[in-house]
Amino acid sequence: MKFGIKKAQILVSLNFSPIEISRSVFIFVSKNRKQVKIYYEDDYGYWLLQNKLGSNKFKIPDQDISSLEIKPQQLTMFLKGLEVIETKKKPNLEGACF
């Protein structure tokens, strides 16, 4: 994941409105799920934070997620490498009678 604050700013501004960007945190996860970058804008400027896990991977669902809203406590857990984003599993209907 080789991008800096300018590319993060462009990605966010192309995909979200100024109202959505204000006071929101945007998380970018690398392909190998070992690194995240967090983009945030406030009244004073822009922030780009980076976090890498040594031996584990960040836990995100296998399906493609382009946008997801999480709570601050979930963000803290996510950055520690814990699974906080639950996926809805399809029920196993094998052998079920209707």
Side-chain angles (χ1 to χ4, degrees):
M1 184 177 350
K2 296 181 180 181
F3 69 83
I5 198 158
K6 289 291 183 191
K7 186 169 181 182
Q9 185 179 24
I10 291 168
L11 287 171
V12 169
S13 66
L14 288 176
N15 292 293
F16 297 95
S17 71
I19 294 172
E20 293 172 312
I21 294 172
S22 176
R23 306 284 187 230
S24 294
V25 174
F26 298 90
I27 303 170
F28 301 93
V29 182
S30 66
K31 288 182 184 179
N32 66 7
R33 297 181 181 183
K34 288 188 172 250
Q35 178 180 351
V36 296
K37 289 190 178 180
I38 300 172
Y39 176 81
Y40 174 73
E41 285 186 24
D42 63 13
D43 296 335
Y44 305 104
Y46 310 101
W47 295 82
L48 186 62
L49 306 163
Q50 179 177 325
N51 190 11
K52 286 186 179 182
L53 291 178
S55 59
N56 295 332
K57 293 183 177 187
F58 289 99
K59 310 272 191 292
I60 60 172
D62 291 330
Q63 63 210 33
D64 184 29
I65 297 177
S66 59
S67 180
L68 179 69
E69 186 173 329
I70 62 173
K71 298 176 183 166
Q73 183 182 17
Q74 290 174 309
L75 176 60
T76 302
M77 292 170 54
F78 172 75
L79 293 175
K80 292 180 180 179
L82 302 173
E83 186 170 358
V84 296
I85 304 169
E86 298 178 8
T87 56
K88 296 178 183 176
K89 294 187 177 187
K90 295 180 182 177
N92 185 2
L93 301 176
E94 190 174 315
C97 297
F98 293 98

